[in-house]
Amino acid sequence: MTVTDHPEAPAHPPRQSPLGRARALIRNGWRGLTSMRTALVLLFLLALAAIPGALLPQRSLNEQKVAEYIADRPVLGAWMDRFELFDVFSSFWFTAVYVLLFISLVGCILPRTVDHYRALRTPPVRVPRNLARLPHHHRVVVDGSAAEIAEQVRTRLRGWRTEVRPGERDGEVTLSAEKGYTRELGNLVFHLALVGLLVAIAVGRLFSYEGNVIVIANGGPGFCTTSPAVFDSFRAGNVNDGTGMTPLCVQVKNFRADYLDNGQAEMFTSDIAYQSGADLDSNTWRDTTIKVNHPLRVGGDRVYLQGHGYAPTFTVTFPNGETRTETVQWQPNDMQTFLSSGVLRIDPPGGMYATETERRQNQIAIEGLFAPTASFHGSLLTSVYPEMTDPAVAVDIYRGDTGLDTGRAQSIFALDQEMVRQGRLAKEARVNLRPGESTTLPNGTEVRFDGAEEFVNLQVSHDPAQQWVLVSALVMMGGLLVSLLISRRRVWLRVTPEGTVDQRRAVVEMGGLARTDQAGWGGEFERLRHRLLDASGTDTGEQ
């Protein structure tokens, strides 16, 4: 028996060092992140992540609705709040997708831009050895020398990049032509504009501010953007603290609402007067009209007309004959009929009572409902139409401590019920009143309903990147159209002399290839062939 030695087992490959594995992981992760497939997935995720922001109430727009939503769903709402579903566009997960998409797009675009630049500097590829293998091929005999024919074809290929080269045989001339480079340029422009759009939106979120304020129409006090405190709600960008706002003052002259027969609002219009810039120093007021989606644009700010409502007016005559008149906005509860609820607090005139305690015990609070077009079912008040044609109120009148001096935050639309439960605020009357009607309390105080004024909800918005968002969106559309409408095509010609030089005849082989798509390329190739080659040529057949 012959014993042969077994070959030694192959040695194990050396293990990669931890640093090498870390580098490989980073390299592979970067390649995956910057692939176009990943960018498309992230773009889809961004659109998907924006859906909760459209379906759920957002704190930045209406904090009261968010509070009501959570109160109605205490368990589910609390968990949704933990996952920032009521602050979608400033949440950590939306920001993460946003940043990853930005990085992915930049990583995709930069290498493609370099490749496109190199392609623009590279002449068209040489003529293939066998043109008959191309999807579209034609062979024809044409009168003229090879050089003349090639030059004639080159001059007719306007808009094509061409390159004429000598062939492999004596006297043979080849021509390479290509068009459609703008297609890739349009694709790059689209993605660059998308990056610009993301940057503009991010800059707008950082440096913007937005404030909402209710202003009484028909000569109400108006407002000036002196500080965030003048707004009923204010939201500043992440690096904006609300200071340095554009100086602006607005007064609302009137408000008009156009309604359909069913009570649906058709258009809101308001005539306003405003001051900005040098007008503030000279106290010059300028008049303009704003409508829904037609804001006032001044100093980089936009003043939008967002909504309206009613502000009832009450006059309280105290036992000593002094009067106080207040007009306060009430909250619409029914957006179809504008049945509104609210509260009005009136402090007695100074010096009327000897002590502060006695003064606080005689404050007046009026809480109830307002109907612009009243309809009574017994003593119950409702509204049947949103326009103010027959106003009325159903109110409870309280006397006592309204809580104005407690320092506690209170709603402008409801009384502090804790004051009622403690007996510090007592109900003294419940009445239905039309304009001009009044009621007298047991201590001799008279409360009169004088009617109502309309108020408007104005929004002051500042976004320094808004115009760049528009420019980026338009450039995106332009780049997308270019990339869709322009096709990549390649055409090659090989012109070979036939017979002797004196005969001045040549065989022309023409081949074409669609680089992007073949839709319509067959007919286009035929039209191009007829345009490039003279009719005097003798057709030898298409292969």
Side-chain angles (χ1 to χ4, degrees):
M1 179 182 295
T2 304
V3 179
T4 58
D5 296 334
H6 292 284
E8 295 183 0
H12 293 287
R15 297 185 61 182
Q16 196 174 19
S17 65
L19 181 60
R21 289 198 298 270
R23 288 178 177 174
L25 180 63
I26 294 174
R27 182 175 61 253
N28 295 333
W30 174 255
R31 288 175 179 173
L33 178 61
T34 56
S35 67
M36 185 55 66
R37 178 180 299 176
T38 303
L40 293 175
V41 170
L42 289 172
L43 188 61
F44 173 76
L45 288 178
L46 190 70
L48 192 66
I51 294 177
L55 299 179
L56 298 174
Q58 300 295 296
R59 273 196 182 85
S60 60
L61 300 178
N62 196 322
E63 191 168 358
Q64 181 181 356
K65 284 188 176 181
V66 173
E68 293 176 356
Y69 191 95
I70 296 176
D72 294 339
R73 305 164 181 82
V75 177
L76 179 62
W79 278 101
M80 294 171 67
D81 196 19
R82 291 180 184 177
F83 287 102
E84 301 184 43
L85 293 179
F86 304 114
D87 301 279
V88 168
F89 302 107
S90 59
S91 63
F92 70 92
W93 47 272
F94 189 87
T95 303
V97 175
Y98 195 92
V99 172
L100 288 175
L101 176 60
F102 180 82
I103 295 174
S104 179
L105 286 174
V106 172
C108 291
I109 293 171
L110 290 181
R112 291 179 61 181
T113 303
V114 174
D115 292 342
H116 185 62
Y117 174 75
R118 291 174 179 172
L120 291 177
R121 296 178 59 87
T122 303
V125 298
R126 292 181 175 274
V127 177
R129 185 179 298 275
N130 190 351
L131 289 176
R133 293 183 178 180
L134 295 178
H136 298 281
H137 169 256
H138 191 78
R139 181 185 177 95
V140 65
V141 178
V142 180
D143 295 332
S145 66
E148 291 174 349
I149 295 171
E151 180 62 22
Q152 181 183 13
V153 172
R154 188 188 66 80
T155 56
R156 293 178 180 179
L157 285 171
R158 294 180 180 177
W160 293 65
R161 293 186 62 200
T162 59
E163 184 75 18
V164 177
R165 302 182 180 95
E168 296 179 354
R169 305 175 185 175
D170 292 338
E172 185 179 85
V173 178
T174 64
L175 183 144
S176 303
E178 186 170 354
K179 74 170 185 177
Y181 290 89
T182 313
R183 179 189 179 96
E184 178 64 16
L185 179 62
N187 201 351
L188 291 174
V189 167
F190 170 80
H191 288 90
L192 286 171
L194 179 57
V195 172
L197 180 67
L198 295 176
V199 172
I201 293 175
V203 170
R205 296 284 296 181
L206 290 174
F207 297 97
S208 64
Y209 58 80
E210 182 181 278
N212 289 274
V213 59
I214 291 176
V215 182
I216 304 298
N218 301 321
F223 73 98
C224 294
T225 57
T226 53
S227 73
V230 303
F231 296 97
D232 299 315
S233 64
F234 187 82
R235 180 175 59 88
N238 295 339
V239 297
N240 193 332
D241 58 0
T243 61
M245 290 186 291
T246 303
L248 177 66
C249 292
V250 176
Q251 289 183 343
V252 179
K253 293 183 175 181
N254 56 56
F255 173 83
R256 300 183 302 277
D258 299 325
Y259 298 101
L260 301 176
D261 293 338
N262 60 0
Q264 180 180 353
E266 186 177 18
M267 177 55 68
F268 297 153
T269 306
S270 182
D271 296 323
I272 66 172
Y274 70 94
Q275 292 178 324
S276 180
D279 295 340
L280 294 169
D281 298 328
S282 61
N283 196 26
T284 301
W285 290 90
R286 301 180 184 273
D287 297 331
T288 189
T289 300
I290 58 176
K291 300 180 179 180
V292 176
N293 296 327
H294 292 80
L296 165 67
R297 300 178 184 271
V298 56
D301 284 11
R302 300 172 307 283
V303 181
Y304 290 95
L305 175 62
Q306 287 198 316
H308 78 110
Y310 295 98
T313 301
F314 289 89
T315 297
V316 177
T317 304
F318 291 91
N320 67 348
E322 294 188 69
T323 62
R324 287 288 185 269
T325 300
E326 294 287 347
T327 302
V328 177
Q329 66 271 16
W330 285 13
Q331 181 182 19
N333 296 330
D334 187 341
M335 300 307 296
Q336 293 294 326
T337 64
F338 271 76
L339 181 67
S340 306
S341 64
V343 64
L344 185 145
R345 302 172 178 88
I346 296 180
D347 207 23
M352 180 176 173
Y353 296 98
T355 64
E356 286 297 315
T357 302
E358 188 179 2
R359 181 186 64 81
R360 283 197 297 270
Q361 291 174 351
N362 287 277
Q363 293 173 341
I364 301 298
I366 304 170
E367 184 180 41
L369 297 175
F370 169 82
T373 301
S375 175
F376 287 97
H377 300 277
S379 60
L380 298 178
L381 174 67
T382 187
S383 179
V384 295
Y385 196 71
E387 190 174 5
M388 190 166 59
T389 59
D390 185 20
V393 293
V395 294
D396 292 331
I397 304 174
Y398 296 81
R399 186 170 64 90
D401 189 355
T402 61
L404 291 174
D405 304 326
T406 61
R408 294 176 55 189
Q410 298 192 54
S411 170
I412 64 172
F413 300 119
L415 285 176
D416 185 356
Q417 294 301 312
E418 185 62 29
M419 307 297 288
V420 178
R421 283 193 291 269
Q422 293 178 5
R424 299 166 63 181
L425 192 61
K427 184 191 298 185
E428 298 209 346
R430 168 172 285 186
V431 292
N432 296 331
L433 301 174
R434 293 186 181 274
E437 297 180 347
S438 63
T439 186
T440 303
L441 304 183
N443 71 336
T445 301
E446 182 187 67
V447 177
R448 185 179 72 243
F449 173 51
D450 296 329
E453 299 288 351
E454 290 190 278
F455 71 80
V456 297
N457 182 18
L458 300 180
Q459 182 186 85
V460 179
S461 298
H462 177 78
D463 186 351
Q466 186 187 45
Q467 60 182 353
W468 295 110
V469 172
L470 176 61
V471 170
S472 299
L474 293 177
V475 174
M476 280 179 59
M477 292 300 299
L480 182 61
L481 289 175
V482 168
S483 64
L484 292 177
L485 297 179
I486 293 181
S487 302
R488 293 291 301 272
R489 304 293 194 235
R490 278 180 177 174
V491 170
W492 294 280
L493 276 83
R494 178 180 288 114
V495 187
T496 305
E498 183 183 54
T500 63
V501 178
D502 296 336
Q503 289 181 326
R504 294 180 58 81
R505 290 173 63 85
V507 177
V508 180
E509 275 190 286
M510 179 177 174
L513 180 66
R515 290 204 59 193
T516 52
D517 59 346
Q518 297 184 0
W521 175 226
E524 183 181 351
F525 180 83
E526 288 299 311
R527 292 190 297 270
L528 184 65
R529 177 178 66 81
H530 285 294
R531 181 166 63 87
L532 296 180
L533 303 177
D534 291 335
S536 58
T538 303
D539 193 348
T540 62
E542 184 175 351
Q543 302 177 0

